[in-house]
Amino acid sequence: GEAASMRPVIFIGCGGSGMSTLRSIHDLLSVSLQDVGAGSKIPDAFQFMVIDVPNRPQVNLPERIKYIPLAGPLTTWLGPGGVDPTLARHANKERREDYQEWRTDPVGLAPQFEEGAGQFRALGRAVGTRELSEIGAVFTRFAQVSIQNSSALVPIAEKFGFDPTREAVGAPMVIVISSLGGGAGSGIFLDVCEVIRVKSQGALAGLQQNLISVLYDPSVFERNGISLQDGGIPGNSYAAVMELVA
């Protein structure tokens, strides 16, 4: 068979489940590097970014994991500059009727964004839509850094027993990780994948062919003692799957 080699990778965690997974991947990779005598510093060919609603990550993250908050400390749902009226204006201007199809009814809704999307998939998507430009800019920068540092993986690959003559070249792998049943991740992962597709041109051409999505089914929440019949988990999962297969 074809000899194995190491590839540069961009890991993107969407929502709380994606964030937890990236933290585990980061720690496991660091330990694995030490075990083969390659030091504990993770090469820049590997990049990590987490996208979630709260202004600050709800767990401590290693320095190498870039955290992109979708809401600031003063972000509101309604009122001047609020998420809903801002998106409504853009939707009307651009004749985006699809926005009305997944827009959350703002009546009686007062989300606490510092706590996340509250299992409202539409909330996660609405807040994420405002930050797609920032997500695209960070992704482009990380992709460029990953490509520029891919050659550093060659000696590390040899320590892991991979073929050292096969250089780690070409477009990085892009792995997007999210749950289907939450609010933030379930709401934004499709838009994040679309941003990657749009950015896959010029020097970054080929990234979309290397895109992999790892999506957790609702059972991922059982380990936290959450009933799968409560809240928005069933509806979020169903809506996410329907969009995937549409």
Side-chain angles (χ1 to χ4, degrees), residues 96-134:
R96 292 289 303 275
E97 296 180 359
D98 57 324
Y99 174 60
Q100 297 298 330
E101 297 177 1
W102 53 263
R103 173 182 180 238
T104 300
D105 186 351
V107 178
L109 185 65
Q112 303 298 314
F113 288 121
E114 65 269 17
E115 298 176 4
Q119 291 186 8
F120 283 95
R121 182 172 184 263
L123 275 183
R125 190 169 197 183
V127 180
T129 299
R130 301 193 321 162
E131 301 297 328
L132 291 181
S133 295
E134 171 67 11

Side-chain angles (χ1 to χ4, degrees), residues 12-126:
I12 303 176
C14 297
S17 297
M19 177 165 54
S20 297
T21 302
L22 252 66
R23 188 174 59 166
S24 297
I25 291 174
H26 175 281
D27 294 347
L28 179 60
L29 182 56
S30 180
V31 170
S32 298
L33 288 168
Q34 293 183 67
D35 287 345
V36 298
S40 60
K41 183 180 183 300
I42 297 176
D44 287 337
F46 298 118
Q47 294 290 315
F48 304 82
M49 57 188 289
V50 166
I51 308 165
D52 202 2
V53 171
N55 183 51
R56 293 181 303 223
Q58 296 176 313
V59 297
N60 292 326
L61 293 177
E63 184 178 349
R64 281 292 306 277
I65 299 181
K66 168 71 174 177
Y67 182 78
I68 302 178
L70 300 179
L74 301 179
T75 300
T76 60
W77 181 245
L78 297 176
V83 174
D84 186 72
T86 299
L87 290 180
R89 286 195 300 271
H90 288 308
N92 291 334
K93 182 179 179 181
E94 300 171 9
R95 301 182 183 275
R96 292 289 303 275
E97 296 180 359
D98 57 324
Y99 174 60
Q100 297 298 330
E101 297 177 1
W102 53 263
R103 173 182 180 238
T104 300
D105 186 351
V107 178
L109 185 65
Q112 303 298 314
F113 288 121
E114 65 269 17
E115 298 176 4
Q119 291 186 8
F120 283 95
R121 182 172 184 263
L123 275 183
R125 190 169 197 183

